[in-house]
Amino acid sequence: MRLEAVLIAVLGLAGGGAAAISLPQALKPAMPVHAAVTAPALMPGRVVVTPADLHQAMASGLLDRPVKTMLDVRSPLTYGEFRWDEKGVPAGPTWVRIDLKSQIISVFRSGHEIGTAVILYGAESKETPVGKFPIQAKLKDHHSATYDQAPMPYTLRLTGDGVSIHGSNVRWGYATHGCIGVPLAFAAKLFSVVKAGDDVVILPGKAPAKV
């Protein structure tokens, strides 16, 4: 589910290796008609989040800061896929929004979405925490000290006990031990644009059931 779908709904680590957990399919539907306003020619491939939608989303707590445009992703994304486009987006504050219910990560800079992907997240036995987390550390070639030295490339550590965003084999039926797993190429791009102290906001979702 895209953030646009969230908006229309309002209107009307100790981390590491994945486990074989059944997860709901994550799809990204087309932009709803009410929000499909073409962005300026300076920023092609984008749609504008209307002031009315933004007001509703912030009033409901789905957003805690303004969003100006979203990537125009009209086809569903599946596991391992992502979109990244920062052309024309000015320098400025960068933050990350993660929706566990829809299994979607969105990266914003200066109010514009520059990247989005389907994620993996924690199973019932080790759920992903929710809330706002500043990035504590960046570790490019990290391995888990808890889970048999499992590789955690492009780690962005969020909590003192190791919950992080990191590159993973994002595919159907997998979950993490509490971390946010993203496709490796996406993780590399994300790692390059954020810094320690940038905010990551994780919204709650229903944890996947054990198998």
Side-chain angles (χ1 to χ4, degrees):
M1 177 188 276
R2 296 275 293 143
L3 177 56
E4 300 95 317
V6 174
L7 294 174
I8 197 171
V10 173
L11 299 175
L13 260 174
I21 303 296
S22 178
L23 299 176
Q25 181 68 33
L27 298 178
K28 305 184 78 175
M31 169 67 64
V33 174
H34 80 284
V37 180
T38 304
L42 180 65
M43 302 174 71
R46 297 181 171 276
V47 290
V48 174
V49 176
T50 68
D53 287 351
L54 179 61
H55 175 77
Q56 293 277 5
M58 294 188 72
S60 69
L62 291 173
L63 290 173
D64 67 349
R65 65 202 76 192
V67 170
K68 301 173 184 176
T69 68
M70 303 288 295
L71 293 173
D72 191 2
V73 181
R74 294 179 178 269
S75 299
L77 291 184
T78 59
Y79 291 93
E81 294 185 326
F82 69 91
R83 297 291 183 272
W84 190 280
D85 186 356
E86 51 188 303
K87 294 190 298 291
V89 176
T94 301
W95 66 286
V96 179
R97 180 186 188 275
I98 296 169
D99 188 321
L100 299 182
K101 184 176 181 180
S102 61
Q103 293 183 243
I104 292 295
I105 184 172
S106 292
V107 185
F108 294 92
R109 187 172 71 213
S110 298
H112 303 279
E113 186 185 42
I114 60 174
T116 184
V118 178
I119 65 167
L120 298 179
Y121 63 103
E124 282 186 344
S125 59
K126 190 65 177 178
E127 295 184 8
T128 298
V130 299
K132 184 186 294 184
F133 305 91
I135 295 171
Q136 297 184 1
K138 296 173 60 177
L139 306 165
K140 185 176 181 180
D141 299 307
H142 186 56
H143 288 75
S144 173
T146 306
Y147 298 105
D148 300 322
Q149 292 296 305
M152 299 170 61
Y154 302 106
T155 284
L156 302 174
R157 182 168 291 164
L158 304 180
T159 69
D161 62 355
V163 174
S164 306
I165 302 171
H166 61 79
S168 293
N169 180 8
V170 180
R171 58 177 174 166
W172 172 261
Y174 274 53
T176 71
H177 292 99
C179 288
I180 299 296
V182 298
L184 182 60
F186 183 91
K189 291 178 179 294
L190 175 59
F191 191 90
S192 71
V193 300
V194 297
K195 64 182 185 304
D198 286 345
D199 282 339
V200 175
V201 178
I202 304 178
L203 299 179
K206 187 179 187 303
K210 296 179 181 179
V211 295

